[in-house]
Amino acid sequence: MTNLQKMRKSRNFSQSELARAAKINIRTLQHYEQGAKLIDNARLNTIVKLCTALNCNIEDILENPKMLDSYYN
């Protein structure tokens, strides 16, 4: 289970509800949750939309939060 999926479930969102709230395509969300696409490689805009809808931090949904270090350095 991905961090994104754990966070979605902890917020009691269905995939379609989260996709709608984040204004992203449901297939995109499914790909991230299934690991077909890495959320760590998503566009920052997509990550921010998901975090806003889930009311969480970026670190909460990334699989490798250390990737953020490259943005800060």
Side-chain angles (χ1 to χ4, degrees), residues 19-59:
R20 209 170 319 134
K23 297 180 181 163
I24 65 168
N25 185 289
I26 189 168
R27 289 298 300 147
T28 300
L29 175 60
Q30 290 169 339
H31 285 144
Y32 290 134
E33 286 196 1
Q34 294 166 357
K37 290 184 176 181
L38 294 176
I39 189 70
D40 297 359
N41 295 335
R43 291 182 178 150
L44 185 57
N45 185 42
T46 300
I47 295 171
V48 170
K49 286 179 179 182
L50 287 165
C51 290
T52 299
L54 290 167
N55 192 29
C56 70
N57 295 317
I58 291 174
E59 296 90 346

Side-chain angles (χ1 to χ4, degrees), residues 9-24:
K9 289 183 176 193
S10 77
R11 300 293 198 259
N12 295 313
F13 274 111
S14 69
Q15 286 181 332
S16 60
E17 289 170 333
L18 178 55
R20 209 170 319 134
K23 297 180 181 163
I24 65 168

